[in-house]
Amino acid sequence: MFVLRSLWRPTAPVERVWSMLADPRFTWPDWWPGLTTAATGPAVGPDGLAAPGAWAVLQVRSPLGYALRFRLELTESVPPSDAGPGRARLDVSGDLAGRADVTVGPGRPGTEVRLLWQVSPGPAWLRAAARIAPAPLTWAHARVMRRGEQGLSAHLG
């Protein structure tokens, strides 16, 4: 199992960052280079944002040349408030299997987005690569996530 942590620091306000990440249509590929959406199943809460049950099948192109296809399903969502940061939990299945946790709260300046992936590779070739050479896979994940942070920050302007 890989435990992968990322920290994003967009300068936009917490509520604006949360609304981009909690878009029920999973429009992340609009601003995340290398990410594409194959299918979505929006579930919309009373606030107009993604609610538990929302899902997306995504494909991400690795800087190492391979592509991974996985499904994310939102299982828990607590928006940010005066009581604390926003939190989302997603089940991950497909070429990666496990869980992703996202926390969105105040940062300096703007917002801190903490992402935690606890996933195992699915395909045999990826499991073998993870056993033989995990460092390049971890590097590729960090690079993909960095591109996501840069894309989100640019999109938020």
Side-chain angles (χ1 to χ4, degrees):
M1 175 174 282
F2 282 92
V3 177
L4 305 160
R5 291 178 170 81
S6 302
L7 174 63
W8 294 0
R9 295 182 185 265
T11 57
V14 170
E15 295 76 18
R16 190 155 176 238
V17 172
W18 179 262
S19 69
M20 291 299 302
L21 296 176
D23 182 339
R25 296 169 296 135
F26 289 92
T27 56
W28 306 338
D30 291 351
W31 47 264
W32 194 324
L35 189 66
T36 57
T37 304
T40 61
V44 182
D47 58 2
L49 299 176
W55 60 269
V57 176
L58 303 169
Q59 183 169 309
V60 63
R61 171 79 39 207
S62 163
L64 297 176
Y66 58 86
L68 297 176
R69 187 178 177 105
F70 53 91
R71 183 179 193 269
L72 296 178
E73 181 170 346
L74 183 62
T75 59
E76 180 184 340
S77 179
V78 177
S81 68
D82 292 338
R87 294 181 319 279
R89 175 165 285 170
L90 301 111
D91 284 342
V92 182
S93 58
D95 289 340
L96 300 172
R99 184 174 88 204
D101 293 293
V102 181
T103 305
V104 179
R108 292 188 184 151
T111 300
E112 277 191 3
V113 179
R114 295 185 180 276
L115 303 115
L116 172 65
W117 286 76
Q118 298 176 65
V119 293
S120 296
W125 70 267
L126 190 55
R127 288 194 311 272
R131 280 192 305 276
I132 296 166
L137 299 178
T138 301
W139 172 85
H141 173 81
R143 175 96 184 230
V144 165
M145 297 304 284
R146 179 75 174 140
R147 292 185 75 202
E149 177 187 19
Q150 291 169 336
L152 176 62
S153 293
H155 188 76
L156 292 168

